[in-house]
Amino acid sequence: FHVAAKIIKERIHRMHPINLTYFVWTYARAGIVIPDFMQAVAEYLCDAGKLPMCDRCALGTMVWNFSKCGIRHDRYFELTVAECVRP
């Protein structure tokens, strides 16, 4: 898990956000918590403007991922809420 997280962080710009969401889900589901990886994912999704590419299922799943891992990222949560209520 740790080696894969390192590689994903290096190549995160190549991943579609929905694929990234379900990759992170595998970590959360298994109880694998890598805080710097989760922070990198959140920063990427926020800074690269990728949240509009996610459907509501992926948005909700990523929030669940962060919650399950016990990691808080307020900016990511705020932008996700705004995206969820978008018409």
Side-chain angles (χ1 to χ4, degrees):
F1 280 98
H2 290 273
V3 172
K6 181 181 178 196
I7 292 169
I8 291 294
K9 280 174 47 179
E10 293 169 359
R11 301 178 184 178
I12 200 165
H13 63 282
R14 296 181 183 179
M15 288 191 75
H16 190 283
I18 292 177
N19 295 358
L20 183 60
T21 297
Y22 294 106
F23 191 92
V24 174
W25 178 86
T26 63
Y27 282 72
R29 183 77 170 96
I32 307 296
V33 180
I34 307 174
D36 66 313
F37 173 63
M38 296 296 288
Q39 293 297 325
V41 167
E43 292 299 321
Y44 168 72
L45 292 173
C46 292
D47 294 344
K50 298 295 185 179
L51 290 176
M53 295 175 69
C54 294
D55 58 16
R56 283 171 174 77
C57 182
L59 292 168
T61 299
M62 190 63 89
V63 169
W64 181 88
N65 293 339
F66 277 89
S67 176
K68 177 83 168 133
C69 290
I71 295 178
R72 184 176 176 153
H73 194 287
D74 291 341
R75 182 169 167 240
Y76 173 78
F77 295 149
E78 290 169 9
L79 291 174
T80 295
V81 168
E83 193 60 35
C84 285
V85 299
R86 180 176 55 85

